[in-house]
Amino acid sequence: MSERLTLLDISVWGGFASFAISSVVIPVCLPEISNSISVNFSESGSLESFRNTIVLAFLVLSIVIIKFFSKKQFIAQGQYLISLGLFSASFANTYFAFAASIILMGIGGGLSEAFINPLVVDLHPNNSGKFLNLTNAFYPIGVVVSSLLFGEMLTHEISWRIIFRTAAIFSLLIAVLLSLQGSTSDKKPQKLSLKNYAEIIMSGKFWLFAVAIFLGGSIEAAYTFWGRSFVEVYLSDVPRSGTLAVTIFAISMFIGRLLTSFFTSKYSLKKIIFSSSILGIIVGFILPYADFILEFYLLISLSGLATACLWPSILSEASSILNFDKTILMILLACAGVIGFGFTPLLMGIIGDNSQLKYGFILAPIFFSIIIGLLHFENKS
């Protein structure tokens, strides 16, 4: 395939931005949602865990259903479901009604997460590290735009329900754009059998990368999901202040992924991941004790730079090192990452209920440290 950008690339970028918006709209609006449906820290954290459980389930299912349609078609259908889930959630008046809507969002998110990165590898097989980081940069773009817009809407006392409907319209537009494009030449997986899965699952190096991306997803979720709540609990009760923290983190993620895309021609991805993790450790141990909001903004921006390269770069490294079907491999690794994305917000919520929310942020530098250990072990193996 050509290394040039196409309309499909741009549409996929929109799909990633839409997936990001559906992920961040809950934490951005979390205090207002919690007041509407009366939930505590643990229940709030469980909303993200529940959504990611559904995403995970459909990531697993996607390995079976990929033979029926193209990756582009699945991404489009995922966007329609995200839109429907966001719209239905805007009418929820109870925790269970809201959770039911999250099922639809989770299904759509699972289909999007499952097929976007494999499609990028199909479209750009000769430079996947560059294009994966470039494509994944549009996840934080979605976070940035939605955080700024939704934060202003909340500051002006616009209902979180209107915000959810606004997000639903964007997802619907992306779904229509993808649907209107012609067929693609993305690659089908090898003939599916239990042997295909067993070979990957039995590989020790697969599990090394699976743990690494689990930790990468965990770190990203920690800052994205609880960033606004940290500001509101410890630093400022103005909605704009909290959403600005999420925005700063996302902007830093975007910049970090663009920089990674640029530096892949000069440095190995392992060196980039290692250097980023060192930064993440240093900043991560300081951030929970920030006393001033400007200090917190600086620290969370550095955390975003440190976190940026993890998900796409780990996927690219695994794809180049492990000799398995790329679609199945990347979906299985995404499953591990999504588990981390759902597990850590819940764990931090439990820590917040039983101690203080800020202590939950100590998990991030611990996870960065483990990633460095995994990289060292992979080099030796």
Side-chain angles (χ1 to χ4, degrees):
M1 294 294 293
S2 170
E3 295 303 302
R4 293 178 299 175
L5 293 176
T6 66
L7 180 59
L8 182 56
D9 282 302
I10 296 171
S11 301
V12 168
W13 295 349
F16 236 140
S18 168
F19 179 48
I21 292 169
S22 72
S23 302
V24 80
V25 68
I26 297 175
V28 166
C29 299
L30 190 58
E32 288 76 19
I33 295 171
S34 299
N35 289 334
S36 295
I37 60 179
S38 301
V39 295
N40 58 26
F41 280 141
S42 298
E43 289 171 330
S44 297
S46 72
L47 290 173
E48 182 68 5
S49 298
F50 183 61
R51 188 187 71 86
N52 278 279
T53 299
I54 303 300
V55 171
L56 173 64
F58 269 78
L59 276 170
V60 175
L61 179 61
S62 65
I63 301 174
V64 178
I65 62 178
I66 180 57
K67 61 183 179 181
F68 296 109
F69 300 100
S70 72
K71 298 182 182 73
K72 188 217 72 170
Q73 289 173 313
F74 278 117
I75 297 169
Q77 296 307 312
Q79 294 298 309
Y80 282 119
L81 288 170
I82 289 174
S83 178
L84 181 59
L86 287 164
F87 189 72
S88 62
S90 71
F91 292 97
N93 290 310
T94 66
Y95 174 84
F96 294 105
F98 193 86
S101 299
I102 287 178
I103 292 177
L104 294 174
M105 295 168 60
I107 294 172
L111 292 174
S112 298
E113 178 66 34
F115 297 117
I116 286 178
N117 283 317
L119 179 57
V120 172
V121 173
D122 286 351
L123 295 173
H124 307 285
N126 298 322
N127 203 356
S128 64
K130 174 181 178 179
F131 282 93
L132 281 172
N133 272 283
L134 180 59
T135 301
N136 279 262
F138 281 82
Y139 186 94
I141 283 179
V143 174
V144 169
V145 174
S146 59
S147 296
L148 286 173
L149 175 61
F150 300 160
E152 284 302 307
M153 293 172 74
L154 289 170
T155 299
H156 288 87
E157 299 184 350
I158 296 174
S159 170
W160 68 268
R161 300 180 187 276
I162 300 299
I163 291 173
F164 268 65
R165 291 164 198 166
T166 302
I169 292 172
F170 179 76
S171 297
L172 179 61
L173 291 175
I174 296 299
V176 172
L177 179 61
L178 285 163
S179 299
L180 291 177
Q181 294 188 53
S183 60
T184 65
S185 57
D186 54 54
K187 300 175 183 177
K188 298 291 183 181
Q190 300 166 354
K191 185 178 179 180
L192 296 174
S193 69
L194 291 177
K195 183 180 179 181
N196 295 134
Y197 308 136
E199 286 177 345
I200 298 177
I201 297 299
M202 295 299 291
S203 168
K205 282 201 172 184
F206 163 77
W207 285 105
L208 186 149
F209 285 109
V211 173
I213 204 165
F214 168 89
L215 296 172
S218 294
I219 295 166
E220 192 171 333
Y223 291 121
T224 302
F225 192 86
W226 287 112
R228 183 197 165 189
S229 295
F230 183 100
V231 172
E232 185 152 313
V233 171
Y234 299 108
L235 301 172
S236 172
D237 60 0
V238 179
R240 184 189 293 114
S241 299
T243 55
L244 183 57
V246 179
T247 301
I248 290 171
F249 178 76
I251 290 173
S252 299
M253 287 266 291
F254 170 67
I255 294 172
R257 284 176 176 169
L258 289 184
L259 289 174
T260 302
S261 179
F262 173 76
F263 283 119
T264 50
S265 62
K266 299 182 178 182
Y267 305 100
S268 70
L269 285 175
K270 285 182 181 177
K271 287 184 178 179
I272 294 173
I273 296 171
F274 179 83
S275 301
S276 297
S277 297
I278 292 294
L279 175 63
I281 292 169
I282 296 171
V283 175
F285 278 119
I286 300 173
L287 181 143
Y289 303 101
D291 293 323
F292 306 101
I293 196 162
L294 291 179
E295 178 188 7
F296 182 80
Y297 287 162
L298 172 62
L299 291 170
I300 204 167
S301 69
L302 293 174
S303 298
L305 288 175
T307 307
C309 72
L310 296 181
W311 187 290
S313 297
I314 291 169
L315 283 178
S316 182
E317 277 290 284
S319 177
S320 63
I321 292 173
L322 301 179
N323 188 27
F324 301 116
D325 179 272
K326 303 307 180 187
T327 299
I328 297 174
L329 172 64
M330 295 182 77
I331 291 175
L332 288 174
L333 287 173
C335 289
V338 167
I339 292 173
F341 230 98
F343 169 76
T344 301
L346 175 59
L347 179 58
M348 292 177 67
I350 293 172
I351 293 172
D353 281 334
N354 290 278
S355 180
Q356 292 192 53
L357 180 62
K358 65 181 180 180
Y359 295 138
F361 283 80
I362 296 294
L363 293 174
I366 294 173
F367 291 167
F368 272 119
S369 301
I370 298 173
I371 288 174
I372 289 179
L374 292 171
L375 286 176
H376 179 74
F377 183 79
E378 198 281 325
N379 283 331
K380 296 294 184 181
S381 61

